[in-house]
Amino acid sequence: MRRLSILSFAVLLLATACQSPPTSDQPSDTNQLEQFRTETNDRLEEITGELEGLDEKARRERLIELAQEEGATLTLYGVTNLEEMAENIDAFEEDTGMTVNYYRAGSEEILQRLVEEQKAGFRAADAVNENGAEMVFLDREGMFAPVVTPASEDLPEKGVHETWFWSYIDIFAPAWNPKLIPASEAPKTWQDVLGKYDQELLMEIGDIEWFATLVKHFVAEEGMTEEEAIALFEDAAKNATFVDGHTLMVELVAAGEYGIAASPYSHRNAEFKEDGAPVEWEPAVAPLVARPEGVAVHSTAEHPAAALLFVEWYLTDGQKLGLTQERQPASTAVPGGGLPEDYENIVVDVDAVLDEFDRWSELYDEIVQMSGEEVLVD
Amino acid sequence: MLLVVGAVLLIVGYLALTPLGYLLWGTFFDEGGFTLRFFEEALSQQDFAEVALTSFAFSGGATVLAMVIGCALAYLLVRTDIALKRVIFAGSLVPLIVPSILQVISWIFLLAPRTGFLNRIAASLSLGPFDIFSLPGMIFVEGMGLAPLVFLLMAAALRSMDPSLEESALMSGANLNTVIRRVTLPIVRPALFAALLIMGVHSLQAFETPAILGIPDGTWTFTSRIWNSLHGFPREFGPAGAYSVMLLALTGVGVFLHSRLTKRSTAWQTVTGRGYRPRPIELGRWRGPLTAAALGYVVFVVVLPLMIMFFASFQPYFAAISVAATENLSLDNYRLIFERRNILRSTQNSLVLGISSATFIMFLTAVAAWLVVRTRVAGRWVVDNLTFLPIVVPGLVMGVALLFVYLRHPVPIYGTLWILFIAFLTKYMPYGMRFASSSMFQIGVELEESARMSGASWWQSFRRIVLPLLFPGLIAGWIYVLVVSIRELSTAILVYSPGNEVLAVEIWELWQDGRLTQLAALGTLMVVALLALAGLAYKIGSRIGIRETALEPAPLPGEL
């Protein structure tokens, strides 16, 4: 029996010893990865060649055929709410006859998943939908395949990159409960939001881009130094409560548990208001923060035609559905699409934020942890 | 016999050691070789001492609360003639069935400082609000969530106990207090320590409660810190590993202590070759008040949160209960749940995974428990500790470890349901083992010896003597693993893939999307289904194995 135990240990040790430590950054199967990449790249070139010169309708039909040849299946990793994406996916499946596997997770989880799969030389995702800064990050890690598509023609200039495209624009718009904060006390500026509502304020634990963009705005437009701008947030945090989830923020405000949420999405505010909940966000605080999300074909996609088909569909047909969901489509071909004109807004500079991501992330982490310091418990 | 035992040993070893191995590897090594820098990082965080203290306070408080309630309930129901046993028994187990996240949210519905139902009642009585978003709030919710587990473990131990020892004490003139203190408690000590250990570890690595109630308040524990490191990007596996290894050290000490205390297993045996007929202790004039207290516990702690979740499932958005709120009630949330993409497949996955892991685990641990308790094989303590090891790995870290293991191992199970199966096997093996070995402790060896002397093979003796005697414990364990695996979240959330979602993940997504009322609808459906499942399993379980159940002692000869 003892020998058996020793033998088992030895086998286990051997089994685990053949890999690099989990925390190392070296991809453990680079050959496999390169092979997949080359495959996908070649395939995409073939596809592009075939589609050249075709008009819109013919292009769509040919692409559908090619995707069907691949097996008529698509694996999509995305951050969009399941309910909203489900409508799009159902429509896509109906239009094209594809079957979609949608893996929905938070933006950080998707990042983690993609990076870990890449490290292991494992291919799963065909297309990816992520928030702006994450798209830039993934792009820099070589996760996306370069794609040229006429579907990107109606996007704002900033929204077209070699490998990914803006699909929707999320707008951070503070929301408050009129029963707790009547119109006369409603916020007009971000300084109001951060400073006026002791104990009533909800903030989100992961809104690093929002934070970075506002700090830069305060410095550039309001004449503050960076320290002063950051101090605003620190003071707010000491009297605020942090939650994980943008919709949850609105839900708690609607319930009357808190008076105001600092960074929910405008389309969520509108949705709750429509349902009859006591949620107000207009007249909107100025300027609102607009953060694009994007869509791309994965560089090791097993079904590149399907992925390209989805990207093109999402940038055209998929934009109209967004309006009914109160979301802001990026395509200017849709009435009201592109950067919102009704509200003063600043667009998150995703490249710049990503360049300094560690610094902003650390700063914001400290701010989040400040909420425990002076919270009063009656 | 050697074949079966050898196979079990290999499986247990593999399941227990691989994720642990990856955890230690990743924490103590980086590209440059052996390093302690992750520990330095974790320890140098400015509030580390506070985090540690809070974790201990949280765990200690929740454990004490759970032990007090669980032991009291177990004793009352198994040993005394308290009324309404069935109702109290069923009610007490319900929190085991309800996913933690639902319990926490229900308590928020009840005790949110401003809008919580109970707080609004308290306010009308001019009593201060009890803020659930606080350390006491966390202790309360976690303790209540753990009490049923204590109850199950202690009930299984008490049920298998020979009551004649207590009866002799009573007949010798001891009062109930003395009997409990000097006869009952010492006999169930292995089970008590096992329960204490499990609760302590369980609460130290609890996830949902500290994450949902603690973070908004700024009350951090080890697990919410681990989650924070793993949640953001890039994943800070190092500090997470450091925290996990520290937790591991704590629980390793606990396991060691437990092994030493329970080495003398024969002293605790009370299910022996002699027949045993338990007789419930009469409570006399205490019967009424104690029944009321137990019932009150069930109503306040079990029924009330469920009722509020039920109510919330009809609301379009979470709002305090009021007359105005009743105008907006509808079945919309249920409709939305049924229309939800993948819901059917998730349900199927949950059931398949739950049933198969429960069955596999209970068989595996029955053999392992026999090996540990019954044989004199050198090194069997290794198996005991191996089966217990996964309990020290927080669910989150287990998920990450498994992800790494199976992303890189040649075994192609990543992206399938199998990885979830392995995750559940690994995670719940300790619980199965505790149910199996707690019961095994109390079964005397003469029964098997008689069988073997009469010519039975090891397998025959195991199958026809040991297993049936173990059945109450095994069934309890099976039910527990099935139900708990359906509600499991922290590991599944990391290892599932498109097409392999389980119900717990659906609930999590609803939580992440802030759809509290839809979550309440799905939660209600799940609880109803799980209750039915548990009820069914219990009915079946009480038919197999020994006739005696907690509620119906065998009739004495002459009573028939």
Side-chain angles (χ1 to χ4, degrees), chain A residues 138-172:
Chain A
L138 290 168
D139 194 22
R140 293 182 186 178
E141 294 288 311
M143 299 262 197
F144 298 149
V147 155
V148 177
T149 168
S152 66
E153 278 161 12
D154 291 319
L155 296 173
E157 215 182 298
K158 281 194 209 174
V160 180
H161 304 83
E162 239 183 76
T163 52
W164 67 279
F165 312 95
W166 284 10
S167 51
Y168 277 89
I169 301 173
D170 295 321
I171 300 173
F172 293 106

Side-chain angles (χ1 to χ4, degrees), chain A residues 96-122:
Chain A
T96 62
M98 306 287 295
T99 309
V100 179
N101 276 325
Y102 182 48
Y103 171 65
R104 194 266 173 198
S107 59
E108 285 126 344
E109 276 101 19
I110 301 255
L111 266 188
Q112 291 158 2
R113 178 70 72 122
L114 286 170
V115 166
E116 272 145 28
E117 287 178 357
Q118 186 190 51
K119 264 203 226 176
F122 186 85

Side-chain angles (χ1 to χ4, degrees), chain A residues 1-2 4-5 7-9 11-12 15-26 28 75-77 79-86 89-90 93 99-109 111-113 115-117 119-122 124 137 180 199-200 205 240-248 251-252 254-259 268 271-272 275-278 357-358 361 365-366 368-369 371-373 375-378, chain B residues 1-2 5-7 9-10 13-15 17-18 21-23 25-27 29-31 38 45-47 108 112-116 129 131 133-134 215-220 225 227-238 316-320 328 336 340-342 345 371 377-379 382 386 400 403-404 407-410 414-415 492-499 501 506 508-518:
Chain A
M1 190 65 76
R2 195 185 301 186
L4 202 56
S5 322
L7 190 61
S8 333
F9 282 135
V11 167
L12 287 164
T16 49
C18 305
Q19 322 279 344
S20 49
T23 37
S24 76
D25 284 324
Q26 289 301 331
S28 63
T75 301
L76 172 67
Y77 283 21
V79 291
T80 307
N81 223 315
L82 182 64
E83 273 166 31
E84 284 149 6
M85 201 45 139
I89 292 180
D90 288 342
E93 285 181 337
T99 309
V100 179
N101 276 325
Y102 182 48
Y103 171 65
R104 194 266 173 198
S107 59
E108 285 126 344
E109 276 101 19
L111 266 188
Q112 291 158 2
R113 178 70 72 122
V115 166
E116 272 145 28
E117 287 178 357
K119 264 203 226 176
F122 186 85
F137 176 84
L180 294 169
Q199 309 298 332
E200 295 281 352
I205 63 175
T241 303
F242 279 86
V243 285
D244 180 19
H246 294 96
T247 308
L248 185 60
E251 185 114 20
L252 289 171
E257 191 60 45
Y258 294 90
R268 196 67 66 223
E271 185 194 314
F272 270 79
D275 276 343
F357 195 75
D358 284 342
S361 163
D365 245 352
E366 283 171 27
V368 169
Q369 288 180 20
S371 81
E373 263 173 45
V375 171
L376 301 166
V377 179
D378 15 322
Chain B
M1 164 187 128
L2 205 61
V5 170
L9 187 66
L10 265 173
Y14 179 74
L15 287 178
L17 290 177
T18 328
Y22 267 73
L23 172 66
W25 191 4
T27 309
F29 290 84
D30 62 8
E31 296 89 71
F38 296 126
Q45 282 182 4
Q46 65 194 78
D47 59 351
I108 292 179
R114 217 185 239 163
T115 53
D131 185 1
F133 295 103
S134 63
I215 293 182
D217 184 50
T219 306
W220 295 88
R225 265 300 153 77
W227 180 74
N228 213 32
S229 325
L230 295 177
H231 176 69
F233 184 83
R235 264 207 255 256
E236 288 166 17
F237 194 63
Y317 51 87
F318 168 44
N328 290 334
L336 285 169
R340 196 170 166 83
R341 241 183 120 79
N342 300 335
R345 189 171 55 190
L371 184 72
V377 169
V382 173
L386 278 180
V400 178
L403 206 64
F404 276 123
L407 266 179
R408 297 180 195 190
H409 262 213
Y414 176 77
I493 194 78
L494 292 173
V495 296
Y496 84 94
S497 318
E501 298 94 344
E506 296 283 349
W508 175 256
E509 298 210 340
L510 286 165
W511 165 251
Q512 289 239 295
D513 293 348
R515 307 279 181 195
L516 290 180
T517 52
Q518 275 188 49

Side-chain angles (χ1 to χ4, degrees), chain B residues 168-438:
Chain B
S168 330
L170 279 169
M171 281 197 296
S172 306
N175 65 20
L176 193 58
N177 248 338
T178 315
V179 171
I180 294 179
R181 214 165 26 94
R182 306 193 66 178
V183 179
T184 320
L185 277 181
I187 295 181
V188 295
R189 211 154 57 189
L192 263 177
F193 278 117
L196 226 130
L197 202 54
I198 293 185
M199 296 316 123
V201 169
H202 208 300
S203 49
L204 258 180
Q205 46 151 292
F207 166 60
E208 287 93 333
T209 308
I212 297 175
L213 297 180
I215 293 182
D217 184 50
T219 306
W220 295 88
T221 61
F222 281 134
T223 43
S224 43
R225 265 300 153 77
I226 292 177
W227 180 74
N228 213 32
S229 325
L230 295 177
H231 176 69
F233 184 83
R235 264 207 255 256
E236 288 166 17
F237 194 63
Y243 278 116
S244 305
V245 169
M246 288 188 250
L247 276 179
L248 216 147
L250 288 168
T251 48
V253 167
V255 174
F256 178 67
L257 285 174
H258 179 266
S259 290
R260 299 227 18 215
L261 280 163
T262 54
K263 244 190 190 140
R264 291 174 55 236
S265 51
T266 46
W268 318 124
Q269 279 167 8
T270 53
V271 176
T272 61
R274 296 174 288 132
Y276 63 100
R277 317 160 316 253
R279 185 199 242 144
I281 294 176
E282 287 171 29
L283 292 170
R285 62 194 166 99
W286 284 105
R287 195 166 184 253
L290 283 173
T291 307
L295 209 58
Y297 160 78
V298 171
V299 166
F300 178 72
V301 175
V302 178
V303 173
L304 199 55
L306 288 180
M307 297 271 39
I308 200 113
M309 183 173 71
F310 185 63
F311 181 82
S313 69
F314 296 108
Q315 293 179 291
Y317 51 87
F318 168 44
I321 295 183
S322 61
V323 175
T326 50
E327 288 170 1
N328 290 334
L329 300 181
S330 75
L331 285 172
D332 266 348
N333 290 321
Y334 288 93
R335 180 181 55 82
L336 285 169
I337 289 296
F338 280 113
E339 287 177 1
R340 196 170 166 83
R341 241 183 120 79
N342 300 335
I343 197 80
L344 213 61
R345 189 171 55 190
S346 305
T347 312
Q348 200 181 315
N349 287 338
S350 282
L351 281 172
V352 163
L353 275 173
I355 293 176
S356 47
S357 27
T359 312
F360 195 83
I361 284 177
M362 287 330 289
F363 181 74
L364 190 76
T365 55
V367 175
W370 178 86
L371 184 72
V372 169
V373 176
R374 187 63 75 233
T375 68
R376 293 258 167 271
V377 169
R380 68 187 183 284
W381 64 273
V382 173
V383 176
D384 193 19
N385 290 336
L386 278 180
T387 55
F388 199 69
L389 269 185
I391 209 175
V392 313
V393 185
L396 286 171
V397 182
M398 176 77 78
V400 178
L402 287 173
L403 206 64
F404 276 123
V405 170
Y406 294 107
L407 266 179
R408 297 180 195 190
H409 262 213
V411 182
I413 67 169
Y414 176 77
T416 70
L417 215 53
W418 285 99
I419 193 175
L420 281 154
F421 180 65
I422 303 250
F424 289 175
L425 279 192
T426 314
K427 199 169 178 198
Y428 295 116
M429 191 166 57
Y431 296 94
M433 186 62 174
R434 277 312 138 204
F435 278 99
S437 66
S438 287

